[in-house]
Amino acid sequence: CISKWHIAIYYPHLWGFIMHMYRRRIKTYVFSFLRHDLKSSITVFFVALPLCLGISLGCGAPLYAGLIAGIIGGIIVPVISKSSLSVSGPAAGLTTICAAIILASASIDLFFIAVMLAGIFQIILGVFKLGGFTQFIPSAVIKGMLGAIGILLIAKQIPFMVGYDQPDFWTNELFNILTFNHGFEHLGSLYQHSSGGAIITAVSSLLLLIFWKRNLSKKIPYLPSSFIIVIFGSLVAFFIGKFFPAFALNESQYVNIPKNVFGDFHFTNINLIVNDPAIWKNAIVICFVASLETLLSVAAIDKLDPYNRITPQNRELMAQGTANFLSGWVGGLPITAVIVRSSANAEAGAKTRWSSILHGMWLFIAILFLVGIMNKIPYCALAVILISTGYNLAKPKMIKAVYHQGKEQFFPFIVTLLAILFTDLLIGVLIGVVYAIYFLIKHTYEAGYTIKQKTEGHITHFVIELALNVSFLNKKRIQVELDKIPAYSIVEIIGTDSVYIDQDVLEIFQEYKVKAHNKHIQLIMTNIPEVKILELH
């Protein structure tokens, strides 16, 4: 083995060539970093900043909780994960869940403990290589879950759009607004706390957002729409306050981040874990939804990767679990891989995980030096961004597409969506899965075989062709069909195309030999295995 010093002394020309190639490689890497990852990190930062604030607002958590989650998700996850393009942070899909947990908890530390436990559960899922569990959830149920989250997200932002600065307008599920216990009792308060300036700001921001996405987003792809809406909404609110003081927004209708964000910083009091048994249920819900959203987002981003790099699912769960544990420990929101940021990262031309890491560093710098600017952002502008996110989750086009896929897809979809709106996310998804399994069983029950009938003279000929898989679910229908066959017929049972025929079904065929003989039926069985029947006496 020749050392580099030996080459440098005795082979100076070779050493010079090696150093030239090394410097060239470094130069190429630096150029690629500046051209791709650095630029992409700035784009993702502009996408992430308003989303971190808006999701904190939607959750009813301190605004810095979303920023902390964005920083940890941006820096910690890519260090552990092997995903090159995905970007993690607080996710809109968990907003309604977090809001319900925070409202139901006696202390916000109980919510943060649930986030920590969810992180531990994710690490366990990764260690035991259970990252593929999403493949067992029907796509119709997943779409129904996302659609319900989108509807809830939109509904809970409407009060903020009109300037309502009390976060308890309605509490849990959407249809609580149809009862007098939650929604209508606040209508008087809604009128008193509404602001004409907030309505003008929100409506104008919403119109700009629609115009931007339809006409300018493809022409100026490096400017994210969320950043444009934040700037525009802040300017509109500023000019309204300056030239129309009667419509000016109140201080409570603006983002309010303490100038010294870390002044009240404290680690979560883990001792409170014994105070509320609901922590464990909340942790399971957060773990399930966060893992589901992460794995779906990562799978989608891998398809956008021009280098076709595949992210290991179990490694990603361990990375997300570590980040969630740390986020809950220091007072941050739950973290997932976020499709909005990740797709913006890919579209901006990112090549490596450095783009995500740098975006987390920019968020940290913003907390340290840009709090004064962020406090000029009105809540109603952030509400517009979240409404746009909710609409993307529950697009009418998506619902229409599921409808055209047939009742096997649409019914589980709509059942899941309505179940979540009337109950909660975990129960709703379970109802959707059970309903999807019912459809599967029904389909399997009806699809075990085909039967054809033809008459030649006075003799009826029945041909029963078994399906690829014949399970015990088909047992009853097969038995009923065989019993209906009249005497003096010809029956041919064909199992040529079958890979699996359940033992119960084979026993029915074996028992039918005796019945066929007694009814003078000519029975022909092709590729049907012989089985022994147990006599129970």
Side-chain angles (χ1 to χ4, degrees), residues 109-153:
D109 273 12
L110 295 173
F111 165 70
F112 293 139
I113 293 172
V115 176
M116 293 174 66
L117 290 174
I120 294 174
F121 293 156
Q122 284 183 305
I123 294 173
I124 293 172
L125 289 175
V127 169
F128 287 96
K129 302 186 183 303
L130 299 175
F133 79 93
T134 54
Q135 304 300 325
F136 297 99
I137 301 176
S139 61
V141 174
I142 294 174
K143 291 174 184 176
M145 180 192 76
L146 295 176
I149 290 173
I151 293 171
L152 289 168
L153 198 56

Side-chain angles (χ1 to χ4, degrees), residues 283-533:
I284 292 172
V285 171
I286 293 172
C287 171
F288 172 75
V289 179
S291 300
L292 187 63
E293 185 163 348
T294 289
L295 296 176
L296 292 175
S297 298
V298 166
I301 293 303
D302 284 346
K303 294 178 181 178
L304 299 178
D305 189 352
Y307 300 102
N308 297 318
R309 291 167 290 190
I310 303 299
T311 302
Q313 292 181 321
N314 296 307
R315 180 70 171 262
E316 184 68 25
L317 280 180
M318 288 189 281
Q320 297 289 338
T322 303
N324 273 313
F325 178 82
L326 293 175
S327 182
W329 191 30
V330 298
L333 295 178
I335 295 169
T336 74
V338 185
I339 189 66
V340 176
R341 302 179 201 189
S342 302
S343 58
N345 191 38
E347 291 170 5
K351 299 293 183 185
T352 70
R353 67 186 78 181
W354 274 105
S355 176
S356 177
I357 294 173
L358 283 175
H359 120 275
M361 294 174 64
W362 304 144
L363 287 173
F364 182 69
I365 292 171
I367 284 184
L368 293 180
F369 302 108
L370 300 179
V371 169
I373 296 176
M374 288 190 285
N375 284 343
K376 300 295 183 182
I377 301 172
Y379 283 139
C380 56
L382 297 177
V384 170
I385 295 172
L386 289 178
I387 285 176
S388 172
T389 303
Y391 177 80
N392 289 332
L393 292 173
K395 280 184 177 178
K397 186 186 296 184
M398 181 268 290
I399 299 174
K400 186 177 179 181
V402 176
Y403 174 77
H404 287 302
Q405 288 176 352
K407 61 182 182 181
E408 288 83 4
Q409 291 291 317
F410 183 71
F411 284 174
F413 166 81
I414 202 69
V415 165
T416 303
L417 188 148
L418 293 176
I420 292 173
L421 296 181
F422 278 104
T423 58
D424 61 36
L425 191 134
L426 186 59
I427 294 175
V429 168
L430 290 175
I431 291 173
V433 169
V434 170
Y435 193 77
I437 292 173
Y438 160 74
F439 256 96
L440 174 64
I441 293 174
K442 183 180 178 183
H443 180 73
T444 304
Y445 176 75
E446 295 175 350
Y449 64 92
T450 58
I451 184 168
K452 297 176 182 178
Q453 177 181 344
K454 62 180 179 179
T455 303
E456 297 177 356
H458 298 288
I459 300 176
T460 306
H461 190 175
F462 295 88
V463 179
I464 300 175
E465 294 186 14
L466 302 181
L468 188 67
N469 291 292
V470 186
S471 73
F472 71 94
L473 297 173
N474 308 116
K475 175 180 174 181
K476 185 176 188 307
R477 287 189 70 230
I478 290 175
Q479 192 165 29
V480 170
E481 288 290 347
L482 291 174
D483 289 340
K484 289 194 301 184
I485 294 175
Y488 301 99
S489 300
I490 299 175
V491 177
E492 185 177 1
I493 303 173
I494 303 173
T496 304
D497 295 331
S498 299
V499 175
Y500 170 77
I501 304 176
D502 191 86
Q503 180 74 19
D504 288 357
V505 177
L506 293 174
E507 289 182 3
I508 288 175
F509 294 150
Q510 198 69 27
E511 292 170 351
Y512 187 69
K513 289 182 178 181
V514 178
K515 295 181 181 179
H517 177 75
N518 295 334
K519 294 173 68 175
H520 306 285
I521 294 174
Q522 181 182 349
L523 179 62
I524 305 170
M525 293 199 293
T526 306
N527 293 324
I528 304 295
E530 295 278 343
V531 295
K532 291 183 178 182
I533 301 175

Side-chain angles (χ1 to χ4, degrees), residues 92-115:
L94 281 161
T95 302
T96 55
I97 299 167
C98 294
I101 294 173
I102 291 172
L103 283 170
S105 300
S107 168
I108 197 168
D109 273 12
L110 295 173
F111 165 70
F112 293 139
I113 293 172
V115 176

Side-chain angles (χ1 to χ4, degrees), residues 104-222:
S105 300
S107 168
I108 197 168
D109 273 12
L110 295 173
F111 165 70
F112 293 139
I113 293 172
V115 176
M116 293 174 66
L117 290 174
I120 294 174
F121 293 156
Q122 284 183 305
I123 294 173
I124 293 172
L125 289 175
V127 169
F128 287 96
K129 302 186 183 303
L130 299 175
F133 79 93
T134 54
Q135 304 300 325
F136 297 99
I137 301 176
S139 61
V141 174
I142 294 174
K143 291 174 184 176
M145 180 192 76
L146 295 176
I149 290 173
I151 293 171
L152 289 168
L153 198 56
I154 292 171
K156 290 180 181 296
Q157 299 313 306
I158 292 174
F160 291 105
M161 280 192 68
V162 300
Y164 191 78
D165 55 1
Q166 307 296 316
D168 59 342
F169 181 72
W170 55 68
T171 54
N172 295 324
E173 293 72 39
L174 171 66
F175 286 96
N176 280 339
I177 67 173
L178 302 180
T179 72
F180 289 93
N181 295 329
H182 294 287
F184 293 135
E185 68 179 4
H186 294 295
L187 287 181
S189 177
L190 175 65
Y191 175 77
Q192 296 173 0
H193 289 83
S194 296
S195 165
I199 295 173
I200 294 171
T201 302
V203 171
S204 58
S205 297
L206 185 60
L207 292 175
L208 175 63
L209 178 64
I210 296 171
F211 176 79
W212 183 274
K213 288 194 171 183
R214 287 183 177 178
N215 301 287
L216 298 176
S217 59
K218 293 182 179 179
K219 297 179 181 178
I220 317 176
Y222 50 84

